[in-house]
Amino acid sequence: MPEMKLPGPDHPITVTANPKRLQVVYNGHVIVDSERALTLQEATYPAVIYFPRDDAEMGFFGRTDHKTHCPYKGDASYFSLNMDGRLAENAVWTYEEPYPAMEEIRGYLAFYANQVEITEVGDAVKPDAVREAILHTDDGSGASQKDHWAPTVGQPEG
């Protein structure tokens, strides 16, 4: 079984919400548009931006058999990009079953910078404000609220 290492002082890894709306462009086409990207900084390596798979146009992605292993993140699976007759083999990687310390990147995609163009196109929605709104959304039962608010309508008298 491959070795699993934990990030620490000798090999720090941080994952933070990227404050920008980012796009990934391949062969002149936007294939990802996201306000929910994450920036992963691992030790002294260049930062890598991870994008939610839900924000990608997956029709241009083809899974490959290529795999790699990182002792800190786990096993990476790869996709190639194919658009307008141009193929970029193994240009995208993802950790579908990351190690527990890197759970934040599950379901996210990363791209080799020499294969695509990643650009900032504005500020992202404030992620904390969105999360608070979601946590306080009520489906009628009150069960989906973070904090149960007092009812605004009284019960009918019977």
Side-chain angles (χ1 to χ4, degrees):
M1 177 169 218
E3 180 181 13
M4 179 176 65
K5 295 182 178 180
L6 292 174
D10 60 327
H11 193 93
I13 300 176
T14 59
V15 178
T16 56
N18 192 299
K20 299 294 183 181
R21 176 178 164 211
L22 300 172
Q23 290 182 339
V24 178
V25 177
Y26 175 67
N27 201 27
H29 299 278
V30 174
I31 59 171
V32 179
D33 189 333
S34 183
E35 294 183 338
R36 302 177 300 143
L38 301 174
T39 302
L40 184 143
Q41 179 63 59
E42 181 175 358
T44 59
Y45 302 124
V48 175
I49 300 173
Y50 282 79
F51 296 89
R53 195 176 292 198
D54 291 344
D55 293 347
E57 296 292 334
M58 293 302 293
F60 300 107
F61 295 61
R63 186 176 294 276
T64 71
D65 292 332
H66 186 63
K67 305 267 188 228
T68 58
H69 177 77
C70 170
Y72 295 94
K73 295 185 287 292
D75 294 324
S77 299
Y78 286 77
F79 292 92
S80 291
L81 298 171
N82 191 358
M83 183 178 294
D84 299 335
R86 183 172 168 218
L87 178 67
E89 291 188 60
N90 300 314
V92 185
W93 72 92
T94 183
Y95 291 92
E96 294 172 333
E97 298 290 331
Y99 287 150
M102 293 288 101
E103 186 63 29
E104 294 110 323
I105 62 172
R106 178 187 298 272
Y108 281 71
L109 304 165
F111 297 81
Y112 283 108
N114 64 339
Q115 299 285 345
V116 300
E117 180 183 344
I118 298 174
T119 58
E120 293 180 3
V121 292
D123 291 331
V125 173
K126 300 291 183 212
D128 292 337
V130 172
R131 286 188 186 101
E132 278 299 304
I134 291 169
L135 290 172
H136 286 289
T137 300
D138 188 2
D139 65 0
S141 70
S144 63
Q145 288 180 303
K146 176 181 178 188
D147 302 311
H148 294 285
W149 297 336
T152 57
V153 178
Q155 296 294 320
E157 296 184 23

